[in-house]
Each structure stands twice: as C-alpha cells, then as structure tokens.
Amino acid sequence: MENLIALLVAAPLLGAAVLLLGGRRLDRAGHLLGTVMAAASFGLAVVLFTDMLGRAGDDRSLHQHLFSWIPVGGFQADVAFQLDQLSMTFVLLITGVGTLIHVYSIGYMEHDERRRRFFAYLNLFLAAMLLLVLADNYLLLYVGWEGVGVASYLLIGFWQHKPSAATAAKKAFLVNRVGDVGLSIAIMLMFTTFGTFAFGPVLTSTGETSEGKLTAIALMLLLAACGKSAQVPLQSWLGDAMEGPTPVSALIHAATMVTAGVYLITRSGAIFNAAPDAQTVVVVVGAVTLLFGAIVGCAKDDIKKALAGSTMSQIGYMVLAAGLGPIGYVFAIMHLVTHGFFKAGLFLGAGSVMHGMNDEVDMRKYGGLRKYMPVTFVTFGLGYLAIIGFPGLSGFWSKDKIIEAAFAKGGAEGWILGAVTLLGAALTAYYMTRVMLMTFFGEKRWQPDAEGNEPHPHESPKSMTIPMIVLAFGSVFAGGLFSLGDSFIKWLEPVTAFEHGHSPLSAAVVTSATVVVLLIGVGLAWLQYGRKPVPVVAPRGSLLTRAARRDLGQDDFNHVVLVRGGEHLTRSLVYVDHTLVDGVVNGTAASVGGLSGRLRKLQTGYARTYAVSMFGGTAVLIAATLLMRAV
Amino acid sequence: MNANAVHTLWTSAAADPISKIPSPTIEYAQLAPVMIVIGAAVIGIVVEAFAPRRARYHIQLWLTVVALGAAFASVVALAVGGYATTKQTSVAMGALAVDGPALFLQGVILLSGVLAAFTFAERRLDRAHGKRVDSFVAQAGAVPGSEAEQAAVKAGFATTEVFPLMLFAVGGMIVFPAANDLLTLFIALEVFSLPLYLMCALARRRRLMSQESAVKYFLLGAFSSAFLLFGIALLYGYSGSVSYAVIADVVDGTLISNDPVLAQTMGNDALLLIGMALVLMGLLFKVGAVPFHMWTPDVYQGAPTPVTGFMAAATKVAAFGALLRLLYVVLPGMRWDWRPVMWGVAIATMVVGAIVAVTQTDVKRLLAYSSVAHAGFILAGVIAATPAGVSSVLFYLAAYSFVTIGAFAVVTLVRDAGGEATHLSKWAGLGRRSPLVAAVFAVFLLAFAGIPLTSGFSGKFAVFSAAAEGGAGALVIIGVLSSAVAAFFYVRVIVLMFFSEPRADGPTVTVPSPLTMSVIGVGVVVTVVLGVAPQYFLDLAGQASVFVR
C-alpha cells in the first residue's frame, strides 16, 4: 500500500508536465487530461483512506522511502513520504476539492485561450501541495512549500495582460518570500540543533533541547505560516490575490494553500508545545488576524475581497486554535476542513455570479439575483449558513469547538480569547449576511459594463453548478459527521494528541452565546442592508469603514515603513558604494595601473639590462640565503 | 686543495682504473621514452640529409607524432606497470629517476609535444607566392629581406628541421624532471635549451624581431647556465658527489666524508648555501620567475607563435619538475633555508607578473606576463613542502600546459596583411565577427584567470590549498590578490572582444586545417573537463606525488 503514496503526487505532476510540454496540440483536450489526473489522485486517496480505516489507530501511519536525495556526510536528505491521519485529511481535502474545482474550471475557463496552461498550473499546484503535506521531513516540505508558492504566483498572475494581476502576483510572491525565509531559517536551526530535519527524530527529541532554541525555531515556523496563510503581519497579499481567476481563489486562496500554515503549526506541534512563549505569539497572531480579516470583510464592496477578508479571519480562528496546543489542534484541523468546503463553495458561487454578471465584482451593482440564479442562490446560501455557524451546519460544529477551547485556555487569557472569538463570530455573521443581502436580495442595481452591455444574469452550466452542489453538501453535513461520536477527535488524536479543555463556562452557555451573537450580527446587517435599499454608490462611511476599505492601512504601513525605508537604505548604500567602495576600487586600480606603467619601464629591451637584473637577483638570492642562516 | 692532494687523486684513480669506473648497466625498458624521442630526433636529422625536399614535411610530421606517441605509450606502460608508485627506481647508474612525478610530467610534456607538432605543421594560415606555408622561415641562413630569402621563398623551401629540433628539445625536457644527478640535470638543460634558441629565430614574418629574441634568449640562457654550473660545482665541493641521493645524505648528516681528498671542503655550509642559491637561480630562470623573467616577454613575442606555445607549456613543466625534485629530494633538509627565499621569489613573481601585465597591449606579451604570474602561483604550491604541494603542482602544470598551447594556437588564427595581428586593439569586436574563436579564446582566458568550471580554478585551488596547509597562508592571500589583479586583464580582453565595435581594418580569422583545430579542441575539452570533473586527475596527480630517493 505504501508504494502508492508517491503516485498521489506523481499523477498531477505528470499532468502538469504533459500539459506544459505538450504545447498547442493538447489545447483541445488539455482540460480533460488535467481533470482526469486530479480525479486519479483523488481516487487513489480514497483507496488509501479505506485501507487506512482498516487498521488500528496507532498503526495507520504509512511510510515510503523513494530515494536518498542529498547524501553528504552528516547531511542526509531523503525524498520520503509519510501518510498518517493528518496527511490523509489534507490529501482528501486537496484532491477532493481540487477535483471539483477542476471540473468547475472546465466551464468557467471555457472561453479562455490559455485554458490548457491554466489546467497545467492547477495540476502543478496539486502536486506541490500534496508534496507539502506528504513529505516526511522539513526539507522536502520546503520544496512543496515553494512549489505552491510558484503555482500561486503563476495563477494569481494568470491574466498577466492586466497590470493589476501582474502586480498582485508579484506582491504575493514577495510577501511570501518573507515567510519562506522564516521556514528556511527554521530548517537550518533544526539541522544545527537536531542534526536532521526528518519529522520523526525532530519531533520526538524536543525534550532534550533548550527552550530558547525551540522558541526560535517555533517563531521562524510561525513567520513562515504567517506568509503562506496571510496572517498579520504578512496578510497584505491575500486581498490582491483575488485578481486571479475565481477557481484559483477558491482552491488556493481559500480551501488549501492558505491553510498550509495551519498544517505546519499542527505538524510541528511538539515544538510549539515545548515553547509556550511561541504559542502565546501564535495565539495573538491568530486573534489579531481573526478580527482584522473580519473588519476588512465588513467594508469591502468587491464580493471576492469580502470573501478574502473572511478567509483571513477564518484562518485566524484556525491559527488561534493551533496556538492553544493539544486542546486546539484537532479543532483547528476540523475547522480547516469544514472551511475548505464552505469557503470553496462560496467562492465558486461568487464565480458563478460573476459569470452571469459580465465579470462584475461590485456587490452594489448586484441585487435580486436569487430569482435568476436559483442553484447558485441555494448553494451559496447553504455555504453562508455554514460559515456564520448556523446551528447544525458544518461551521457551527467546528467554530463552536474553537470558541470553547479559547475559553478553556484559562485565566484572563481565556476570557480575552473567548471574547475575541465571540466578537469574530458576530462580525462573521454581519459581513456574510451583508454579502448575501447585497447579492441575492433587494432591488436590481445592475449597471451596463464599460462596453455598454447590459448584464443578463443566468444560471451557470452544469459543469459549474455540480461542484457547487457537492460542496454545499459538504458545508451542510461535514461538521455534524465529524462531531458524531467525536469521530474526528478519535481520528486525529494519534497524530496531534488531544486534551479536553476545561472551560469555565459550560458548553451549553458557550453555544447559546454563539447563537446570540450570531443573531445580533445577522440582525445588524439586516437593519443596514435588508430593510432599506442599498445605494449604488458607496456612502462615505465612518472613519472605521473608510479605514477598513483601505484594508486598515496595511498597504500604507508597508509603503511607509518597508518601501520608503528600503529606498532610504538602498540610497544610502548606493551612496556608500559610489563614494567609499568605488573610491577604494578605483584608487586601487589607478595605483596598480601606475605601478604597472613604472615597472614596465624596467623592461628596456636591452639584453644587458636583463643580465644585470639576473645578476642582481642572484646576488640577492645568495645574500638572502646566507642571511637566513645567519639569523 | 694543494698540489699534493691533486697528485694523490690522479694516482689513486690510475692505480685501479677498472674498479673505479664500473661498467654501466642500462635499463632499456625504463629508458624507452627518452631513447625513442632522441632516436627519432637523430632519424629526423638523417631524413633532412637524405629524403627528397618534397617528402620531408610529411615524413617529419609522421615521424615526430609517432615517436612522441610511442614515447607517451611507454610512459603510460611504465606508470601502469607500477613504476609511478610501488616499483619506483632510479636507472642508468642512478642518473635518471623513474617515479611518479617524473612519469607524470613526462606524459604531460609528450602530449604537449604532440599538440605543438600539430601547430608546427599548420600550413593553411599563411601564403607566400601562392603557396600555403607554415610559420617558419623558408631558409634560416638567408639574411632577412635579402634576395636570397626571396629566392628561397619562391623555390618553396621549408625549414622542416624544426621537427627534429623539437624532438631534441622534448628529449631534453623529459630527462630534465627525471634527472637524478646534477650533471644529468645540466646536460638535459642544454639539450632542450639549444634547440629552443634556434627555433625562436625561425619566424617567417618579422624575422628581425625573431632573431633578436633568439639572441637575447641565448645570451641570457648561457648566462644562467653558467650560474647553474657554478652552483653545481659548489655543491660537488660540499658533498663530494653530484648524485642527488648522496648530496641529500650529506645535507642530512647521515653521510660523512667518503673521500679524504675532499675532506677540507665537505660539509662546508657556505658552499651548500651558495651552491643551492645558484642552482635554484638557474632553474628559476627557466620557469620565468622574477627577477629572472625579463627574457620571457621579448622571447614570447619574437618567437614563432607555435614555438612560443610549445616553449611556454613544455619548458615550464620540465623546469618545475626539476625544481620540485631538487627541493624535495636533494634539499628537504634545507627547508628552513630555502623556504623564506622562495617565499620572496614567489611573491615578487606573482605581483610583478600580474601588475605589469595590466598595461600590456600585445597579446603575446600579455600571455608572457601571464605566464610569469602563473609561475608565481605554481611556486606557492612548491613552497608547501608537503605531498599535497607536489600533487597540486603536477596538476597545475598539466592543466596550464593545455590552456597555454590552446591559447597560442588561437593567436595564430587572428591575422591581417602583416601576419598575426597580435596588437590588442586589433582584437576589438572579434566576438562579433568570429564568435566561436572569440568564445574559445574567452574560455582559455577564463581558465588563466582561474574562474570556476575551468581547469585554471581547479589548479589554483589545489595549489593555494596546499600552500595554506603547508603554512604559507600569507602567500596564499597575496596569490589571491594577484589573481584578482590578473583577472582584470584577462577579462579586459574578453570585454574588448565582445563589447567593442569591430575595427574597419580589423584582422580576419583564418580557418585552419584540422591540425590546429584539433589542438584547440583538445585544449578546450581538457580545460573544461579538468574544471568540471577534476577529481580523477587530482587523484592521479596525488598517486604520482612521491619521489624516489
């Protein structure tokens, strides 16, 4: 069985290679090949999953050693895979949602000339993401980590003819580099500390290492996670990344890649558990991002950017949960999976709306679409209910557990975190209701596009609606299924460890509080956007609204601190280079040249001069030899 | 020594002549390389005397290449037979060593000889009276510019004597690093120097310059030979023997006077020190170390370019071989005396070679100063005084000789109406007109500069790391700085070739025959292979790094 693991990665990788190298000949069948490869990987994952279920909890981890990658003395890097319950969860999510989004893209990208290339990049992404979650050591994980970065860059900038898309891709790439540096430093620290970077030895020997070193490694891992998962302070790229085609936003920037940071923290749980200071930082990052994303999401009129803010906020929940340690890891992953379903569904729904509205993204120009796009409306609506945590649906189960775990952290910290998560839940209900109302309810506010075409909203083709329907099922039932008899906890416990948190509030109180804040959020949104008509031109808004529209000044901050600072730094370096370095270099060159010119004059061309030089040289040689002995 | 003692010497020698002069034993198999080459040279002279003029060129070329090839094969056979490692020995009554360094360097010299023979034989580059001619004068005896010269050119004469001359030179050169006593050393020196002086004078174009260079080389060479010979005499006076092994024993103090006649002078350290300095000077002259380097630019520039390439490569190999043997076999006990002096020489050589090359405007002079700088780098490896020092020097010499012959072969291709266009200004924009030739030359220049992935880098790295391990860290720093200065003028030529506008009256690149093409091709291949995958050859040099004593 373990020999099949590599095939999981190989299938989409092969697809990408064939599609990229095959050229135009494959233009007509490329999308089918790409989809088949994704589906093959999913099928294989299901086979491995059923096989894994057949074994006992502690015996489920599979290992495949492919080849020795860099064998240099003490530096041993292997290409080897590890498939345990945690990886399996991700593999199923990635290949499952991935396949659905491949199918969806067949319809969505139908009229794009470069569709083959798009599918090649999607396959490349799948391969890299699977490599990331299947690697059995940090170095190979790093390869996958960089691979998804490349795929993300290529796909955000897929419509590279638009300067905004090209810029967004570059921005995502640059911000991610900062995080990647963190990961590479973490790997180097691991190698110097443990002498290896394989998960097994590293994660079992944390007890023998000083806390300081572990904290350093953990903080560097967190930096990496912040970059990939768009957490504060490296969150600025995610909003712009919505320039990519919507299926990309759904797959990479909602369901899978952006959760890689949560995977990294959960996988490295042993390190974080042994470094409580770093865990505190993780929790703070999660909590701040949770509110940050939610506030931004409340103010955006662009449907995809509103959803992007929501993604950031939901990942904040996951990071917060992962920072809580063994009481939170399982719920972080559980929320990650349910989020994968409903957020992918929401994005696909948004894509479907845009598809019908001439690619309009401004929600103020939507309105009343429920009659025209019934399937989209229902599936989007179910995703909406799931994300706000409507009792019984997926999001309810997973988010509720995180809120409970936050309270269970204990002490003042617990109360603060609990309050933040509850506030986040209220904000989630508010901004999602806002999206829902502005898009599907109220008056038609449609406007002709730049070329003067009136939009004619219509339901999307089957290839797009079917994936939405499947994901809607996931949004509705996944959470319940996971919570039934604590099945998800039992499933992950052997890998991530689990402790029951002891909340100062009983579960019933927390649940009721969640429902109450949910109703408050929905009510506020209804008062603002449901009861009265939505203005087509956005009102000026309060100070907070305006700040949120500008992403709470993230770009201004980056511009002032990093860009300006960087410019000043480079300018001063250039100054030093011009005056000091060039001065020294040119001075040296001039003196060498001058010396050369003078020495050259000794070469008179007369044999007698040469003979004298030889004679003198010999005399010096003899004198020096004798002198050496005398000394 | 008083008259009485001399009398005793004579009478004692006469009293029992047979036992004093034992009949020599000659190990023909081990001497095969030398005997093949010298024998072929003698046959070549006979060919000159008896073969018809038209057939000589082909006969001589074949004879030379076959002889050098056979000699190389016998060197390889000896090395494979274990003479480089376990069965190393000295032959011909202790006159010649058959050991790793000797065989390695003989192999390099013989291969250089084959390549040089190809460039000597190149006849597609130049024309005279409608005939394709080689780089050598039609009739060496004719006064430059005279009617006799014109007549000789018209008659289609050719100086095919260069082939036997080169064979004699190679014969001397392969004896030189194997010489195991001081007299053999001196004889070998003369055997390879005299033909070189002659060959330098044989350029077809710019004959006056060529002759001037030959005379200078001869005068200065004779001058340095005198010093060398005087040094040999002093060392004999010190030790009572010319044999390396005996001198070494006396230096170590394991052998005390064996001859009452010499008891007065034996063990006199002044003789040893002065003699050592003089012998070293003679060898440093041949490797072109500062301040004995002044002949190199003039001779390199004046000599026919194929001869320059041969001389630059093979002479350096032979001379460094002899220097290594002298320092490592005869004078290891004097390490603390010769190392400081050699430090000074090495530093001066690296610095002066690199700095003076900066302002050169002629390609051949530039390469001459570059060879001076390289001599300095190799000296750094010699000074290491460790086995790694020997192996690194061996590797460096092998790498350097192929680059040098290849580079000079490229110089022969770039020509205008006056023959080879060696002035650098004429090379401007060559890369646009003849990208391939310019690229090949760029590879050689990068190798000279020691850029990674070329043999120059592997060699320099080996030499400098050996020197650093041998405790010559300061020398390495100066060496690296000199390399940086040297990189400037190599890269300047590359910039000139590729990033300047071609001159309207610029030279053209002549398409050579397969002979020169193969020389350049081999040069490039060896340069790249030794740069990319040097380990096998480094190991080979490492295995060959033990001297017999």
Side-chain angles (χ1 to χ4, degrees):
Chain A
M1 248 326 142
E2 63 268 15
N3 293 332
L4 294 177
I5 299 175
L7 287 179
L8 284 172
V9 183
L13 192 63
L14 181 72
V18 169
L19 287 177
L20 285 176
L21 298 176
R24 290 171 191 282
R25 273 162 290 169
L26 294 175
D27 271 356
R28 290 171 61 194
H31 54 287
L32 295 178
L33 179 69
T35 311
V36 166
M37 284 305 182
S41 201
F42 178 61
L44 206 58
V46 171
V47 170
L48 285 164
F49 178 59
T50 44
D51 174 69
M52 184 180 275
L53 285 180
R55 289 192 305 274
D58 294 336
D59 191 30
R60 282 181 170 166
S61 179
L62 287 180
H63 210 263
Q64 180 185 13
H65 183 266
L66 218 54
F67 56 89
S68 192
W69 179 19
I70 314 174
V72 184
F75 183 94
Q76 295 292 333
D78 292 336
V79 173
F81 299 123
Q82 175 181 328
L83 184 70
D84 57 12
Q85 290 90 325
L86 183 61
S87 312
M88 192 74 237
T89 313
F90 271 88
V91 167
L92 285 172
L93 178 73
I94 294 161
T95 56
V97 176
T99 308
L100 288 176
I101 285 170
H102 273 76
V103 174
Y104 179 91
S105 305
I106 295 176
Y108 192 84
M109 300 297 283
E110 196 171 359
H111 304 297
D112 198 296
E113 300 176 337
R114 295 160 73 232
R115 182 165 66 165
R116 170 182 57 84
R117 192 176 286 269
F118 181 78
F119 276 85
Y121 293 160
L122 276 189
N123 268 353
L124 182 67
F125 167 76
L126 281 190
M129 187 73 204
L130 289 168
L131 186 66
L132 196 168
V133 297
L134 284 170
D136 93 322
N137 61 68
Y138 283 97
L139 199 66
L140 193 60
L141 179 147
Y142 188 59
V143 175
W145 190 270
E146 294 293 311
V148 293
V150 170
S152 161
Y153 169 78
L154 291 171
L155 285 165
I156 294 172
F158 187 73
W159 288 321
Q160 63 216 178
H161 53 86
K162 290 199 293 184
S164 57
T167 314
K170 215 187 306 177
K171 184 175 181 185
F173 195 79
L174 287 176
V175 176
N176 266 294
R177 291 311 305 164
V178 178
D180 296 347
V181 169
L183 185 53
S184 58
I185 293 176
I187 293 173
M188 293 176 210
L189 284 174
M190 272 175 209
F191 186 72
T192 56
T193 311
F194 304 106
T196 173
F197 19 64
F199 289 153
V202 168
L203 298 176
T204 48
S205 53
T206 50
E208 302 141 28
T209 315
S210 75
E211 197 184 311
K213 272 187 179 173
L214 288 173
T215 307
I217 295 175
L219 286 177
M220 285 298 124
L221 289 174
L222 174 65
L223 181 65
C226 283
K228 206 50 99 197
S229 295
Q231 299 294 294
V232 174
L234 298 179
Q235 81 292 358
S236 64
W237 63 274
L238 187 63
D240 297 77
M242 297 299 125
E243 286 290 341
T246 307
V248 172
S249 312
L251 177 63
I252 301 185
H253 305 120
T256 53
M257 185 190 84
V258 285
T259 58
V262 182
Y263 171 78
L264 187 68
I265 295 174
T266 309
R267 176 59 82 191
S268 318
I271 296 175
F272 283 91
N273 293 344
D277 293 345
Q279 270 186 321
T280 310
V281 181
V282 175
V283 170
V284 170
V285 165
V288 169
T289 312
L290 192 173
L291 294 179
F292 188 105
I295 292 170
V296 169
C298 291
K300 290 285 181 186
D301 290 332
D302 179 326
I303 185 167
K304 286 179 74 180
K305 293 207 167 160
L307 290 177
S310 156
T311 304
M312 212 188 273
S313 162
Q314 298 300 314
I315 298 172
Y317 269 110
M318 300 169 208
V319 169
L320 189 153
L324 294 174
I327 58 172
Y329 291 131
V330 173
F331 302 129
I333 300 300
M334 186 161 135
H335 192 56
L336 191 156
V337 176
T338 58
H339 175 256
F341 283 116
F342 55 69
K343 187 50 69 61
L346 287 169
F347 264 109
L348 295 189
S352 176
V353 169
M354 286 159 59
H355 200 68
M357 294 292 289
N358 293 349
D359 288 329
E360 180 59 66
V361 290
D362 188 349
M363 293 188 291
R364 293 188 183 276
K365 295 175 185 168
Y366 291 166
L369 287 174
R370 67 179 185 281
K371 288 178 217 141
Y372 300 88
M373 311 174 104
V375 181
T376 307
F377 169 61
V378 172
T379 52
F380 195 93
L382 290 172
Y384 155 73
L385 291 177
I387 192 173
I388 63 173
F390 190 81
L393 270 65
S394 288
F396 167 77
W397 299 105
S398 50
K399 202 187 287 176
D400 194 46
K401 296 281 187 204
I402 293 181
I403 297 172
E404 268 182 52
F407 277 113
K409 173 81 176 170
E413 241 181 299
W415 286 104
I416 294 171
L417 292 176
V420 166
T421 49
L422 278 178
L423 180 59
L427 287 169
T428 309
Y430 174 80
Y431 66 70
M432 282 313 299
T433 311
R434 176 175 175 270
V435 168
M436 197 67 199
L437 291 174
M438 285 173 86
T439 305
F440 291 103
F441 293 89
E443 297 298 310
K444 293 186 220 173
R445 299 181 299 277
W446 311 341
Q447 309 270 319
D449 66 8
E451 283 116 44
N453 300 324
E454 281 289 336
H456 299 287
H458 54 272
E459 191 52 82
S460 298
K462 284 253 162 53
S463 63
M464 289 168 67
T465 50
I466 290 172
M468 286 151 61
I469 294 168
V470 176
L471 287 171
F473 270 97
S475 316
V476 175
F477 299 112
L481 204 67
F482 291 161
S483 303
L484 211 64
D486 285 344
S487 58
F488 200 76
I489 295 174
K490 284 178 192 151
W491 161 252
L492 270 189
E493 197 185 354
V495 183
T496 61
F498 177 70
E499 282 171 25
H500 268 289
H502 299 288
S503 168
L505 300 174
S506 74
V509 174
V510 173
T511 308
S512 336
T514 315
V515 175
V516 169
V517 298
L518 161 74
L519 291 176
I520 293 172
V522 172
L524 279 174
W526 186 76
L527 284 176
Q528 206 170 347
Y529 296 97
R531 214 172 48 153
K532 50 190 179 189
V534 180
V536 175
V537 178
R540 193 158 174 273
S542 67
L543 195 65
L544 182 63
T545 313
R546 273 176 285 153
R549 280 191 196 135
R550 291 182 62 80
D551 299 299
L552 298 179
Q554 61 183 17
D555 291 334
D556 307 303
F557 175 82
N558 286 350
H559 188 76
V560 171
V561 176
L562 301 176
V563 178
R564 290 261 181 80
E567 276 172 358
H568 282 299
L569 184 68
T570 47
R571 244 180 254 147
S572 32
L573 285 177
V574 165
Y575 178 75
V576 171
D577 185 52
H578 276 304
T579 50
L580 200 70
V581 179
D582 284 7
V584 171
V585 170
N586 292 339
T588 314
S591 53
V592 167
L595 190 61
S596 176
R598 242 166 277 155
L599 281 176
R600 223 181 131 183
K601 293 208 180 101
L602 296 177
Q603 191 82 16
T604 55
Y606 294 117
R608 56 177 186 254
T609 320
Y610 301 173
V612 168
S613 134
M614 283 166 62
F615 185 80
T618 313
V620 171
L621 211 61
I622 293 171
T625 314
L626 292 175
L627 198 68
M628 282 305 139
R629 180 53 69 93
V631 180
Chain B
M1 195 183 300
N2 55 32
N4 197 16
V6 174
H7 180 75
T8 325
L9 188 65
W10 280 106
T11 47
S12 64
D16 188 6
I18 303 304
S19 68
K20 285 285 177 187
I21 305 171
S23 68
T25 53
I26 302 296
E27 293 84 347
Y28 290 99
Q30 285 85 316
L31 289 169
V34 179
M35 296 205 298
I36 291 170
V37 173
I38 300 281
V42 173
I43 296 171
I45 298 292
V46 177
V47 168
E48 282 300 318
F50 295 105
R53 193 182 291 284
R54 287 169 60 199
R56 280 182 209 162
Y57 167 78
H58 292 285
I59 297 176
Q60 292 288 18
L61 177 58
W62 276 104
L63 179 67
T64 308
V65 172
V66 169
L68 292 174
F72 182 72
S74 55
V75 164
V76 171
L78 286 174
V80 171
Y83 284 98
T85 48
T86 49
K87 285 159 71 180
Q88 49 169 306
T89 174
S90 56
V91 295
M93 310 294 291
L96 280 184
V98 181
D99 58 10
L103 289 172
F104 187 95
L105 294 176
Q106 284 171 345
V108 173
I109 292 167
L110 290 166
L111 285 182
S112 311
V114 173
L115 294 182
F118 283 175
T119 59
F120 281 24
E122 176 62 55
R123 282 191 158 177
R124 288 234 185 121
L125 298 177
D126 206 358
R127 281 170 177 276
H129 294 282
K131 285 188 194 134
R132 297 171 181 280
V133 291
D134 55 24
S135 308
F136 299 98
V137 64
Q139 194 176 25
V143 176
S146 66
E147 282 177 17
E149 187 189 34
Q150 291 293 322
V153 173
K154 248 183 211 164
F157 289 1
T159 313
T160 42
E161 289 91 340
V162 288
F163 292 103
L165 283 175
M166 191 195 78
L167 281 176
F168 276 121
V170 170
M173 284 171 183
I174 59 177
V175 172
F176 203 48
N180 209 23
D181 68 44
L182 290 167
L183 279 182
T184 313
L185 181 82
F186 181 72
I187 304 284
L189 176 77
E190 293 304 319
V191 168
F192 81 75
S193 295
L194 292 170
L196 281 180
Y197 302 148
L198 266 180
M199 286 194 285
C200 284
L202 294 181
R204 175 180 290 273
R205 308 268 193 160
R206 300 188 200 124
R207 282 191 66 201
L208 284 175
M209 205 171 158
S210 170
Q211 293 183 346
E212 182 192 328
S213 80
V215 171
K216 277 183 187 166
Y217 193 16
F218 171 67
L219 284 175
L220 298 172
F223 193 48
S224 84
S225 291
F227 281 109
L228 178 76
L229 202 52
F230 190 37
I232 290 174
L234 293 180
L235 286 181
Y236 178 77
Y238 166 76
S239 65
S241 169
V242 290
S243 158
Y244 281 7
V246 177
I247 302 174
D249 284 344
V250 178
V251 170
D252 291 345
T254 48
L255 187 70
I256 327 273
S257 170
N258 58 349
D259 196 333
V261 182
L262 293 168
Q264 283 174 311
T265 58
M266 270 192 67
N268 183 336
D269 273 0
L271 291 183
L272 170 65
L273 291 171
I274 298 172
M276 177 179 86
L278 290 174
V279 172
L280 279 180
M281 178 268 168
L283 296 178
L284 290 173
F285 172 81
K286 279 293 164 195
V287 303
V290 174
F292 316 107
H293 70 290
M294 296 185 99
W295 60 276
T296 36
D298 291 16
V299 174
Y300 277 31
Q301 190 184 12
T305 307
V307 174
T308 310
F310 169 65
M311 185 162 68
T315 310
K316 198 152 268 174
V317 175
F320 266 110
L323 186 64
L324 276 179
R325 189 175 297 279
L326 188 76
L327 293 178
Y328 283 64
V329 174
V330 185
L331 301 168
M334 299 288 288
R335 207 159 48 242
W336 305 112
D337 291 292
W338 60 255
R339 275 189 75 170
V341 179
M342 293 295 277
W343 264 68
V345 173
I347 290 173
T349 308
M350 290 189 286
V351 171
V352 170
I355 287 184
V356 179
V358 167
T359 43
Q360 296 305 313
T361 52
D362 183 282
V363 175
K364 286 169 83 177
R365 282 185 90 83
L366 178 81
L367 292 178
Y369 279 107
S370 137
S371 90
V372 172
H374 280 280
F377 300 141
I378 304 175
L379 279 177
V382 172
I383 289 169
T386 58
V390 180
S391 68
S392 67
V393 169
L394 296 183
F395 180 86
Y396 200 116
L397 289 170
Y400 177 76
S401 55
F402 285 95
V403 181
T404 305
I405 292 186
F408 279 106
V410 174
V411 171
T412 63
L413 303 184
V414 183
R415 311 179 81 93
D416 58 14
E420 288 162 9
T422 54
H423 199 275
L424 267 180
S425 64
K426 294 185 178 170
W427 285 56
L430 196 71
R432 307 221 180 148
R433 281 196 203 156
S434 315
L436 184 66
V437 169
V440 166
F441 198 59
V443 169
F444 291 136
L445 289 173
L446 291 176
F448 280 133
I451 304 296
L453 298 186
T454 64
S455 59
F457 174 76
S458 319
K460 236 176 223 168
F461 185 81
V463 165
F464 284 156
S465 58
E469 275 169 33
L475 199 62
V476 172
I477 292 171
I478 294 172
V480 171
L481 290 178
S482 306
S483 303
V485 174
F488 164 75
F489 56 78
Y490 296 125
V491 174
R492 194 182 57 156
V493 176
I494 296 177
V495 170
L496 190 71
M497 289 195 299
F498 286 98
F499 302 104
S500 303
E501 285 301 317
R503 278 164 54 136
D505 61 337
T508 51
V509 170
T510 319
V511 178
S513 70
L515 290 168
T516 302
M517 277 191 209
S518 58
V519 171
I520 296 172
V522 169
V524 170
V525 169
V526 171
T527 303
V528 173
V529 168
L530 292 190
V532 175
Q535 199 54 50
Y536 172 78
F537 300 95
L538 283 170
D539 291 345
L540 196 70
Q543 285 167 19
S545 64
V546 181
F547 287 100
V548 66
R549 178 167 171 182

